Each structure stands twice: as C-alpha cells, then as structure tokens.
C-alpha cells in the first residue's frame, strides 16, 4: 500500500530556498578539513608564504599599469597609490584575522561560507575566479610587452604586431601572453615545493631590479616635474586609484596556501602583513622616482615603461636591458603564484560540491593536476585574445567586491563567534572593517560604466551556474542548514 503521506512529509522536510542560500559551513568543519588528509602537503613556512604574497602582488601594476595611471592623475599618481594601498591595507588586516582563524585554501570564499552563507560564498568565489583568472591573463599580456621590449633593446628587432595582440587590438593572437601561462602550468605540475623555490628566486630578482630603478631614476628627479601636482584634481586621483588597485591584488594569495603551510595560524597573518609593507614601500618609491625623473605629460606620448625611463635618464640602453630582463622574470613570478592561487580557490569550491569533483582531485605529488591543466589552458586563451586595460579593470572590481566581503566576515564573526581563538585581531574593529568596506565601495564607484556592465554580466553567468548546478550539488545539501545569525 502506498503511503499517501510520504510526498507531503518529504516536501515539509525539504529546505526552503532561503535556507539553502543561507546555509553556512561551520568554522570547526572548515578547520577540520584543513587538518585531515586532503592530499595537499604542508611544506611552507613564513618565508615561503611571504614570497607568495610578494610574488603575486609585485608585478604588472608597477611594471606596466603605472604608465596607464600617470596620464589620469599626473604627479598625484603617488596619492593614487596611497589611496589604493590604504584600501588594500584595511582588507589585508581583515584577511590576517580571518586567515588566523580559518586556515582554508578557499581564502575569502571560505570566510564568506562560514559567515554569510553559501550564496554569498558562491558570489565571492565567482568574483575570485574573475580576480585570479583575469589577473593571470593581464600579467601575461604585460609579460609579452616586456619580452618584446627586451628583444628590441638587445637585437633591434620586434615581434610581429599580429603576435603581440589579440583581435580587439588589431592583432591575431598574443603568443607571449599564452606562453608564460603555459610555462607556469608546467612549473605547478612539478609540485608545490619546486614551484615555491622558483618563485623565491624570481621575487628576489624582481625586488633587485626595482631597487636598481629607484637608485638610478632618483638621481634625475626634478622638482618641476611635480607641478602641477593635481592637474586632474581629486577625481583623477580616484580614477587612477581604482586602476592602480590592480597593483595590490595578490597579497591574499598567501591565504590560499594555508592548507600547505606548516603553521598557518601563526605564519599566515605575519606573511600577509609583511608582504603588504614591502610592496607598498616599493610602489611609493618607484612612483615617486618615475614621475620625478620624467614629466608626467610624456607618459601620454607612449614612453610609459620603466625601462624606457632608464634609457631617457642614463642616455644608454644598458640599464634598460637589465631592467627589462628582470621584469620578464618578475612578471613570470606573478603569473606562477596567481595561477597557483586560482587553482586552490577552485580546489576548495570543488571540495564543497559547488563545481565538478575533478577540480579537487590531487596526484601523488599533492598537485590538483586536472584543475591546474584546465584552468591554465582557459586562462592562456584569455591572455592571448583580450587586451591588458579591460583585463586589469575587470580584475580590480572583482577583487574589491571580494575584499569588502572579507571585512564584513570579520564583523560577523566578531559578533556571532567571539569565543573563537584569533591568532591576529584586526585593530580598531568594528570601525576599521567598516572603513574597509567603504573604501572598497568608493573605488568601485570610481570605475567606468563599461566595467560595471562587464562585472554584471559575469555575475549573471555565475548565478546561472550556481542555481543550475552548484546549489543542487552542494555538500551541505543533505546536511542540516545553519542560518546566518544563529
């Protein structure tokens, strides 16, 4: 005899849409997953984590995007760096607190899952896909520019224009941009220990060439190059700051390595803050030296690269050749580390069931092989076809949104779980997290409408995937929901 009550009982026990969207992953479960045998190997200490943060941050923003920001703000580009840096600092403090409590590979995605529920976690993770994936592509485009400049400086030859730009810029395919992504893929497939060693060497070279630039360019600084200091007013500073925020993307990459860190609760907060201090100091010194040595109006004429400034200052291409060679290695390190971070975000989302299981399977070396290959090939195609400017802006807006959510996560956990042990506490809370959210919102509002349209389209695609796949396949689908605020 058929039980006529079964369908009704099933319907009554089924979670509502609201409960499914707000279900949270308990902090204790997130921590337990990091302590279990997930296939990833704990090989990193404070120094390796710091090198990941610096390696992912110190790159295209200062080597390439600086030249695009100077015509927008003039000499006040220095203030634009400060504005972007302060915004990033609020979020860095928030990341440090959350990473010390929840040392999970998912970074901001995992923090959102524990505080704001699955739907906001998905939105955050989807924004991080945009942040990391597009960032790798953007850096790849910048790498291609320096490869061509190095070739020209050393041989007088240049790569064909058709092979240096995608169809949107009148070319066919950006070959160097795709090549550096694929080379980074092979480095990651070799294993985490090996790739972190390569990154440490490249970061050291990167810092050395930037210090060399400052030492040379500062000898040519002229006071007149700083006048007028605000030719575009504060509106120009805000617009340039929104673009230059791209320069600070990456300090959070250390948090994506938490499940491969030996002592994440202790080392992650320290590594995040250390990398921010180092990067901000270098950015301010390089920006001051660049605009002081070369009048800002000349940046609009196309002499935008730091290597080109060295040639103007010294009258010889020798230092420019050394700098361009260092920049090639420097930008390659950014591609390597940010690509690594992207795969770890996808690893965490796959483990939660929101994307296919293939992204969380690891090989005998502790590497998510299928994840790395699929991600790298997709990003290589993106880098080969899309120009740098739109990539940088799209990356910045996705990052700002994710950073704002991390600041909110600090506020939520301070209220809902004051009992949790915090290896690092964000100073000035709750004021500082609120300021962090407002600073992110201010830079987002400063972005052009076209960037918002692209961001909106990206979110629409993400929502379609979540409601069509992720929500139904979630690992929490069959578990009791935990509502926000409970």
């Amino acid at each position: 005899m058929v039980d006529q009550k079964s369908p009704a009982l099933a319907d009554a026990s089924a979670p509502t849409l609201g409960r499914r969207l707000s279900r949270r992953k308990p902090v204790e479960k997130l921590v337990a997953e990091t302590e279990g045998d997930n296939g990833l190997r704990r090989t990193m200490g404070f120094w390796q984590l710091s090198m990941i943060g610096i390696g992912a941050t110190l790159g295209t923003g200062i080597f390439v995007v600086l030249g695009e920001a100077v015509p927008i703000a003039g000499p006040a580009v220095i203030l634009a760096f400060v504005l972007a840096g302060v915004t990033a600092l609020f979020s860095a403090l928030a990341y440090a607190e959350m990473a010390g409590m929840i040392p999970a590979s998912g970074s901001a995605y995992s923090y959102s899952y524990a505080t704001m529920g699955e739907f906001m976690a998905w939105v955050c993770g989807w924004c991080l896909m945009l942040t990391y994936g597009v960032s790798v592509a953007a850096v790849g485009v910048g790498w291609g520019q320096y490869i061509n400049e190095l070739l020209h400086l050393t041989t007088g030859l240049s790569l064909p224009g058709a092979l240096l730009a995608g169809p949107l810029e009148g070319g066919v395919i950006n070959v160097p941009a795709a090549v550096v992504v694929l080379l980074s893929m092979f480095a990651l497939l070799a294993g985490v220990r090996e790739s972190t060693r390569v990154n440490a060497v490249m970061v050291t070279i990167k810092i050395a060439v930037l210090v060399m630039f400052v030492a040379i360019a500062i000898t040519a600084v002229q006071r007149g190059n700083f006048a007028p200091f605000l030719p575009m007013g504060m509106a120009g500073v805000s617009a340039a700051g929104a673009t230059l925020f791209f320069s600070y993307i990456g300090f959070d990459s250390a948090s994506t390595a938490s499940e491969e860190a030996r002592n994440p609760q202790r080392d992650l907060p320290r590594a995040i803050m250390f990398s921010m201090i180092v990067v901000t100091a270098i950015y301010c010194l390089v920006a001051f030296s660049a605009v002081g040595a070369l009048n800002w109006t000349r940046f609009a004429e196309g002499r935008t690269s730091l290597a080109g400034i060295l040639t103007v200052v010294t009258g010889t291409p020798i230092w420019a050749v050394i700098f361009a060679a260092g920049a090639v290695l420097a930008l390659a390190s950014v591609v390597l580390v940010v690509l690594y971070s992207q795969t770890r975000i996808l690893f965490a989302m796959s483990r939660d069931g929101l994307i296919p299981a293939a992204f969380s399977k690891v090989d005998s070396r502790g590497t998510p092989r299928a994840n790395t290959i699929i991600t790298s090939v997709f990003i290589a195609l993106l880098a080969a076809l899309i120009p740098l400017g739109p990539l940088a802006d799209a990356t910045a807006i996705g990052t700002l949104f994710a950073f704002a959510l991390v600041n909110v996560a600090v506020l939520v956990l301070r209220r809902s779980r004051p009992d949790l042990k915090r290896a690092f506490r964000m100073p000035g809370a709750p004021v500082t997290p609120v300021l962090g959210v407002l600073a992110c919102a201010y830079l987002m509002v400063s972005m052009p409408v076209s960037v918002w349209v692209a961001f909106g389209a990206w979110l629409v695609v993400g929502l379609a995937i979540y409601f069509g796949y992720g929500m139904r396949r979630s690992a929490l689908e069959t578990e009791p929901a935990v509502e926000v605020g409970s």
Side-chain angles (χ1 to χ4, degrees), residues 67-161:
E68 299 181 2
V70 172
I72 301 174
V77 71
I78 302 169
L79 290 183
F81 267 115
V82 173
L83 175 61
V86 169
T87 302
L89 178 60
F90 284 125
S91 297
L93 292 169
Y95 264 95
E97 176 166 331
M98 296 301 297
M101 284 189 297
I102 309 175
S105 289
S107 184
Y109 157 77
S110 295
Y111 310 154
S112 299
Y113 215 155
T115 57
M116 288 170 276
E118 184 174 283
F119 177 73
M120 290 307 299
W122 170 266
V123 172
C124 183
W126 190 246
C127 287
L128 289 174
M129 287 190 204
L130 177 68
T131 294
Y132 290 123
V134 177
S135 178
V136 171
V139 177
V141 174
W143 187 82
Q145 293 176 12
Y146 269 99
I147 278 286
N148 189 50
E149 184 163 11
L150 180 61
L151 179 65
H152 181 73
L153 287 170
T154 54
T155 68
L157 302 175
S158 298
L159 294 173

Side-chain angles (χ1 to χ4, degrees), residues 211-486:
V211 170
M212 180 194 76
F213 172 85
V214 172
I216 295 174
I218 205 165
T219 63
V221 169
Q222 299 179 34
R223 183 179 300 178
N225 287 337
F226 293 102
F229 188 69
L230 286 163
M232 310 298 179
M234 283 306 298
V237 173
S238 300
T243 297
L244 288 174
F245 188 78
F246 175 77
S247 306
Y248 290 92
I249 293 171
F251 70 81
D252 58 315
S253 292
S255 65
T256 67
S258 58
E259 293 185 44
E260 290 155 284
R262 291 191 294 268
N263 191 339
Q265 284 87 354
R266 182 194 68 189
D267 292 337
L268 277 174
R270 295 166 57 200
I272 290 171
M273 296 312 301
F274 178 73
S275 61
M276 270 297 297
I277 292 170
V278 171
V279 168
T280 302
I282 292 176
Y283 280 170
C284 291
L285 285 172
V286 172
F288 173 83
S289 303
V291 297
L294 188 69
N295 190 276
W296 73 274
T297 57
R298 298 179 67 180
F299 281 79
E301 299 170 4
R303 295 180 181 179
T304 58
S305 75
L306 298 184
I309 293 174
L310 289 180
T311 301
V312 173
V313 169
T314 63
T316 174
I318 294 176
W319 295 106
V321 170
I322 296 173
F323 185 88
V328 167
L329 292 176
L331 296 178
S333 75
V334 180
V335 173
L336 176 67
V337 176
V338 178
L339 183 60
Y340 162 85
S341 302
Q342 172 74 93
T343 62
R344 270 44 182 185
I345 294 292
L346 294 172
F347 174 87
M349 296 180 74
S350 173
R351 183 170 58 190
D352 291 334
L354 301 183
I355 61 176
F359 287 91
S360 55
K361 292 181 179 179
V362 298
D363 61 17
S364 59
R365 295 182 177 181
T367 301
R369 178 168 293 271
N371 179 345
T372 301
I373 293 173
I374 294 170
T375 303
S376 300
V377 171
F378 175 79
I379 294 175
L381 290 173
L382 194 65
L385 301 175
I386 308 298
L388 175 63
L391 288 175
D393 288 341
T395 300
I397 195 169
T399 305
L400 286 165
F401 188 83
F403 283 6
L405 290 181
V406 176
N407 282 281
V408 172
V410 169
L411 291 170
V412 172
L413 277 188
R414 285 284 186 100
R415 178 179 177 274
S416 63
R417 296 297 306 274
D419 58 304
L420 288 175
K421 181 180 179 181
R422 289 163 170 81
F424 175 88
R425 295 183 69 89
M426 187 176 184
V431 175
T432 44
V434 172
L435 290 176
V437 173
L438 294 176
C440 289
Y442 176 71
L443 289 184
M444 290 177 74
V445 170
S446 300
M447 291 186 169
V449 175
S450 59
V451 175
W452 277 96
V453 171
F455 182 58
W458 176 258
L459 289 180
V460 169
V461 173
L463 293 179
I465 294 175
Y466 173 70
F467 286 109
Y469 180 93
M471 185 175 68
R472 301 177 183 182
R473 302 294 185 93
S474 170
L476 297 185
E477 180 69 12
T478 57
E479 297 181 10
V482 183
E483 297 179 357
V484 176
S486 62

